[in-house]
């Protein structure tokens, strides 16, 4: 029979005793606050305890209810106005000695641009493709700039950057930085929370332990930040819940950069984590242009040979990629009877059918139906649907599949094989905060929903 301990009991051992199975418990602090009474002597310990109680409560709230990541801003770019010789230097973080090995990934740029351009701008895609391009000539003093913004680290600390901050890469990475960058090595930008002691004053008396009076003691602690540049890749958080996440590295990755022989400096802000308790898996790319018009022969080849392919931002469980979760419908058009809808028989082919996880899925018409007389007719409409609630990621959460605005990008090889004859109008939108520098993907931060898209078959008598 369990022993009942009343709430007013003074036996504190009933509440603070450790057991042999605490290794699975959350790393939660013990909350104690000062109990004031008349005649109490208040010292440094009491005031520090008062601050610590509310600070730890606030960090606990941030860490387990909001998660961590970028809240807004903090875009990394090349310095638009490099610091001059008379500028007052900002306090710099002590750089770490680069020990990482050159990356095996081939350097390159996700976008193409002219060698003399500072940034490539194509309508509304100015910030959709995150790399920022400069002439392919290594500057004598390479410099990057972190824009102002707000973030939470995995310990619940608020990182506030109130002004754009410039970092000299030679000072941060050492004199060998240009050599390593020309070799194609990746460098990573992380943001760290620090407490900065300020306003030193002379104490009037010594503490209870005696000893000599120190000359000066900081009288304030400022919530500050530092920018760290390293060759080592920051660890990737693979936890499925804030309660299961060990915070081994509190510094927050916000960008990576490298040198491309074709484009010079390329800065990728897409590695940042936006504020969330966990990262949802989204649709990252598709193999057709949403809302575009294709030739009938191309659509027929797409369905019967190449297939309709959907790519995901992270691993999904292969066992959840099965029929019923995907559908392709044809809405008949043409000059005759219009509006009839029929279902296209499909086979669901995961990218890794014999493994636990896959990164993409292809929908293709079975071979038994490829020789039938049914053909795509002009002015037909092809509807592609994925019921995201039934497609599970590695955490057994549903894929965040809402196709917001129809902005999911197209795989690079798609238009080489099936070029649309008419494109949809460009909507002047970019990903909202905190994702303005990352590629657009599906989802609104909530798992499940339905991924829907469509394409049209061109009219035979229409000239494009």
């Amino acid at each position: 029979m369990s022993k009942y301990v009343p709430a007013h009991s003074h036996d504190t051992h009933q509440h603070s005793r450790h057991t042999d199975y605490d290794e699975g418990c959350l790393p939660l602090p013990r909350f104690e606050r000062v109990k004031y009474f008349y005649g109490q002597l208040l010292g440094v310990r009491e005031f520090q305890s008062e601050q610590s109680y509310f600070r730890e409560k606030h960090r606990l709230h941030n860490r387990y209810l909001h998660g961590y990541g970028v809240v807004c801003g903090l875009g990394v770019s090349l310095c638009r106005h490099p610091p001059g010789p008379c500028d007052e230097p900002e306090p710099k973080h002590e750089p770490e000695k680069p020990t990482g090995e050159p990356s095996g990934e081939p350097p390159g740029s996700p976008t193409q641009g002219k060698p003399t351009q500072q940034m490539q701008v194509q309508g509304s895609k100015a910030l959709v493709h995150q790399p920022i391009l400069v002439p392919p000539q290594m500057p004598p003093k390479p410099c990057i700039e972190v824009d102002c913004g707000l973030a939470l680290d995995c310990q619940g600390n608020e990182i506030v950057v109130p002004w754009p901050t410039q970092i000299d890469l030679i000072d941060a990475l050492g004199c060998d930085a240009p050599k390593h960058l020309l070799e194609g090595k990746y460098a990573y930008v992380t943001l760290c929370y620090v407490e900065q002691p300020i306003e030193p004053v002379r104490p009037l008396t010594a503490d209870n332990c005696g000893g000599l009076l120190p000359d000066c003691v900081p009288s304030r602690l400022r919530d500050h930040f530092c920018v760290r540049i390293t060759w080592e890749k920051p660890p990737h958080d693979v936890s499925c819940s804030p309660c299961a996440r060990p915070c081994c590295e509190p510094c927050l990755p916000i960008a990576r950069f490298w040198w491309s022989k074709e484009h010079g400096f390329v800065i990728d802000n897409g590695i940042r984590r936006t504020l969330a308790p966990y990262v949802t898996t989204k649709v990252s790319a598709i193999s057709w242009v949403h809302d575009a018009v294709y030739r009938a022969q191309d659509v027929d080849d797409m369905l019967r040979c190449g297939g309709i392919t959907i790519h995901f931002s992270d691993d999904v469980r292969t066992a959840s990629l099965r029929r019923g979760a995907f559908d392709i419908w044809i809405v008949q058009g043409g000059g005759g009877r219009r509006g009839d809808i029929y279902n296209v028989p499909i086979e669901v082919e995961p990218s890794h059918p014999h493994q636990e996880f896959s990164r993409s899925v292809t929908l293709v018409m079975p071979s038994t139906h490829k020789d039938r007389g049914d053909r795509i007719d002009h002015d037909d409409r092809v509807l592609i649907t994925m019921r995201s609630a039934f497609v599970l990621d590695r955490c057994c959460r549903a894929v965040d599949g809402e196709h917001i605005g129809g902005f999911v990008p197209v795989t690079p090889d798609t238009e080489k094989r099936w070029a649309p004859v008419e494109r949809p109008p460009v909507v002047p939108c970019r990903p909202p905060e905190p994702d303005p520098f990352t590629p657009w993907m599906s989802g609104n931060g909530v798992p499940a929903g339905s991924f829907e898209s469509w394409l049209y078959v061109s009219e035979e008598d229409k000239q494009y």
Side-chain angles (χ1 to χ4, degrees), residues 142-189:
C143 170
I144 63 172
E145 181 175 292
V146 180
D147 199 6
C148 55
L150 172 66
L152 298 181
D153 68 11
C154 61
Q155 292 182 341
N157 296 306
E158 298 170 351
I159 307 177
V160 180
V161 180
W163 57 78
T165 304
Q166 296 184 342
I167 301 96
D168 189 309
L169 299 184
I170 302 297
D171 291 344
L173 295 173
C175 297
D176 292 335
K179 175 178 175 290
H180 292 311
L181 289 171
L182 289 173
E183 293 173 351
K185 195 172 183 179
Y186 283 80
Y188 296 87
V189 185

Side-chain angles (χ1 to χ4, degrees), residues 37-279:
F37 56 89
Y38 285 102
Q40 182 181 14
L41 177 63
L42 298 178
V44 173
R45 179 174 180 267
E46 283 70 31
F47 290 113
Q48 288 180 340
S49 298
E50 189 79 357
Q51 287 185 349
S52 177
Y53 177 82
F54 291 102
R55 291 183 73 248
E56 290 297 330
K57 280 283 188 179
H58 188 62
R59 292 172 61 188
L60 181 73
H61 178 90
N62 287 340
R63 185 165 65 245
Y64 291 106
L65 274 73
H66 298 295
Y68 75 99
V70 175
V71 179
C72 61
L74 303 179
V76 179
S77 61
L78 294 176
C79 291
R80 291 162 287 188
H81 304 286
C86 298
D87 293 345
E88 183 179 356
E90 292 289 338
K92 296 178 181 178
H93 175 71
E94 184 68 22
E96 296 184 357
K97 183 179 180 181
T99 57
E101 296 297 327
S103 172
E105 302 176 64
S109 170
T111 61
Q112 301 294 324
K114 296 180 181 179
T116 57
Q117 280 184 310
Q118 177 72 14
M119 174 187 285
Q120 180 191 17
V121 180
Q122 294 181 352
S124 64
K125 296 184 179 180
L127 292 178
V128 174
H129 298 289
Q130 63 273 26
I132 300 173
L133 311 178
V134 298
Q137 183 178 3
M138 180 71 71
K141 292 194 67 175
C143 170
I144 63 172
E145 181 175 292
V146 180
D147 199 6
C148 55
L150 172 66
L152 298 181
D153 68 11
C154 61
Q155 292 182 341
N157 296 306
E158 298 170 351
I159 307 177
V160 180
V161 180
W163 57 78
T165 304
Q166 296 184 342
I167 301 96
D168 189 309
L169 299 184
I170 302 297
D171 291 344
L173 295 173
C175 297
D176 292 335
K179 175 178 175 290
H180 292 311
L181 289 171
L182 289 173
E183 293 173 351
K185 195 172 183 179
Y186 283 80
Y188 296 87
V189 185
T190 55
L191 198 62
C192 311
Y193 168 83
V194 294
E195 290 182 344
Q196 183 183 29
I198 58 173
E199 297 187 22
V201 298
R202 188 184 300 276
L204 299 179
T205 183
D207 57 23
N208 295 333
C209 297
L212 298 176
L213 286 175
D215 291 336
C216 286
V217 177
S219 62
R220 298 284 190 275
L221 287 175
R222 173 184 292 164
D223 288 350
H224 203 47
F225 67 93
C226 72
V227 181
R228 179 185 298 175
I229 314 291
T230 61
W231 299 112
E232 294 81 16
K233 184 177 181 180
H236 177 60
D237 179 24
V238 295
S239 63
C240 298
S241 166
C243 297
R245 183 184 67 245
C247 184
C248 301
E249 175 52 62
C251 293
L252 183 68
I254 56 175
R256 67 173 179 173
F257 61 90
W258 66 95
W259 178 266
S260 168
K261 295 180 180 179
E262 295 80 13
H263 307 286
F265 269 112
V266 182
I267 300 180
D268 179 12
N269 288 273
I271 70 167
R272 63 176 52 204
R273 173 189 172 121
T274 56
L275 180 65
Y278 58 89
V279 178

